[in-house]
Amino acid sequence: MKMLVFGSVNIDHTYQLHHLVRAGETQPSEAYARNEGGKGFNQAIALLKAGQKVHFAGAVGEDGLFLQKRLEEMGADTAHLAVLPVPTGHALIQVDAQGQNAIILFGGANREITKEMIDRVLEDFEAGDFVLLQNEISHVDHIIRRAGEKGMQVVLNPSPISPELQHFPYQHASWLLLNEVEGEDLTGETEPDKMLSSLIGKYPDMRIVLTLGHKGAVYAHGSERISQAAFPVRAVDTTAAGDTFTGYFLGAMLEGMDVQLALKRAALAASIAVSRPGAALSVPFRDEVDGLI
């Protein structure tokens, strides 16, 4: 089986602040860094660091060629990463003294992906192959539908939240990996159990992983529920927590691990990531995670 990550590539501009900026406020930044980012990029890096082979599809501008090089250095196949005559997507990230963040996204090349580009990419993949998606590129609904029709395993991380998410063809998705905020937005429920019951009720064959921050995560498939506690750690930067969890969990699934162990590895990897600054840079390598396991 091939693993295709069809997602966003961003240049992250991160500012360390005492607290997140309020409306009308001007606040000096205590530190600044330019990093590699984008949910697609971060999740691909997490998969690669977890020991998986990754095919990456998406788009960058000329200013983002260093991101393509980084993916290739990590071992990704970037044959389907288009270089377009527009700026690369970027993010302005505030990180406060407690490690919480607020993010402004500019789509750039990520929002210039066409249905024709998508169809050309999917021609190289078959039934049974995995495709991992987020919500930072254009025409995600088209990818879900076409990949599902091909019999691919569609894994959707519905982040960031947008009105379009309510109209995605979820019947074509095999997996849904989401957090509490996304779960509430999709279901209207505020309690994790009710979120899962609502989603399973609509899509009974779907496998769902709901992450709950410091309360851990829950896997649901039909009537089955498997919980995993979070590993306590002092948070420095939570930017890549969800992306790290996603990459490590899927990596474990690709290797045929049982769900409980996959959840444990993913939770541990995410706890390591939040203890470090940065997005993709904070994702741990497999040897470090295995050593702690």
Side-chain angles (χ1 to χ4, degrees):
M1 294 180 295
K2 295 179 181 177
M3 167 55 76
L4 169 64
V5 178
F6 207 141
S8 56
V9 181
N10 285 338
I11 302 171
D12 284 353
H13 301 277
T14 302
Y15 302 85
Q16 295 288 337
L17 304 168
H18 177 266
H19 59 268
L20 303 182
V21 177
R22 299 183 293 266
E25 179 186 20
T26 299
Q27 184 185 162
S29 175
E30 298 167 4
Y32 163 79
R34 187 189 79 160
N35 295 313
E36 306 153 340
K39 295 193 72 65
F41 182 95
N42 293 342
Q43 291 176 14
I45 292 294
L47 277 159
L48 290 161
K49 287 187 174 182
Q52 303 305 312
K53 183 175 181 181
V54 172
H55 298 262
F56 193 91
V60 295
E62 293 285 345
D63 58 335
L65 291 177
F66 75 98
L67 297 164
Q68 179 182 23
K69 182 179 179 181
R70 173 64 170 157
L71 284 167
E72 292 170 350
E73 289 172 349
M74 291 295 298
D77 182 330
T78 63
H80 295 298
L81 180 59
V83 181
L84 305 179
V86 296
T88 299
H90 65 256
L92 300 179
I93 304 172
Q94 301 178 47
V95 181
D96 70 13
Q98 286 71 48
Q100 297 302 307
N101 62 64
I103 302 173
I104 299 173
L105 282 177
F106 171 71
N110 296 313
R111 306 302 301 181
E112 299 296 327
I113 295 169
T114 66
K115 293 181 179 180
E116 291 74 22
M117 293 167 64
I118 290 165
D119 291 342
R120 287 196 297 270
V121 170
L122 294 181
E123 286 176 0
D124 289 342
F125 297 87
E126 302 175 349
D129 290 341
F130 279 70
V131 56
L132 172 58
L133 305 168
Q134 312 80 32
N135 192 33
E136 289 184 343
I137 64 174
S138 50
H139 300 302
V140 175
D141 57 340
H142 183 73
I143 305 174
I144 295 171
R145 184 175 296 105
R146 292 303 302 272
E149 290 170 350
K150 288 176 68 75
M152 296 178 70
Q153 294 279 318
V154 178
V155 183
L156 176 63
N157 172 214
S159 177
I161 290 294
S162 72
E164 292 79 15
L165 282 169
Q166 295 291 344
H167 308 292
F168 277 13
Y170 292 99
Q171 68 273 18
H172 291 295
S174 307
W175 290 82
L176 193 65
L177 277 65
L178 72 170
N179 64 25
E180 285 179 285
V181 174
E182 294 145 8
E184 181 177 352
D185 188 77
L186 291 179
T187 66
E189 302 289 350
T190 57
E191 297 178 14
D193 287 343
K194 291 183 178 180
M195 293 177 196
L196 292 171
S197 295
S198 175
L199 291 168
I200 291 293
K202 293 178 182 177
Y203 313 106
D205 296 328
M206 184 182 285
R207 300 175 187 272
I208 302 171
V209 179
L210 178 65
T211 58
L212 305 171
H214 69 278
K215 293 178 287 186
V218 181
Y219 165 89
H221 181 222
S223 60
E224 183 180 19
R225 300 287 188 276
I226 301 175
S227 298
Q228 170 63 48
F231 290 86
V233 66
R234 179 182 178 275
V236 173
D237 185 347
T238 60
T239 305
D243 297 335
T244 302
F245 186 101
T246 295
Y248 265 84
F249 179 80
L250 286 178
M253 289 290 93
L254 286 167
E255 293 180 16
M257 291 186 190
D258 67 80
V259 171
Q260 188 71 73
L261 181 56
L263 288 171
K264 183 176 182 180
R265 287 171 56 82
L268 180 55
S271 74
I272 297 171
V274 302
S275 70
R276 300 167 176 169
L281 291 174
S282 71
V283 180
F285 281 94
R286 179 178 183 140
D287 288 349
E288 182 177 4
V289 177
D290 287 347
L292 290 172
I293 286 285

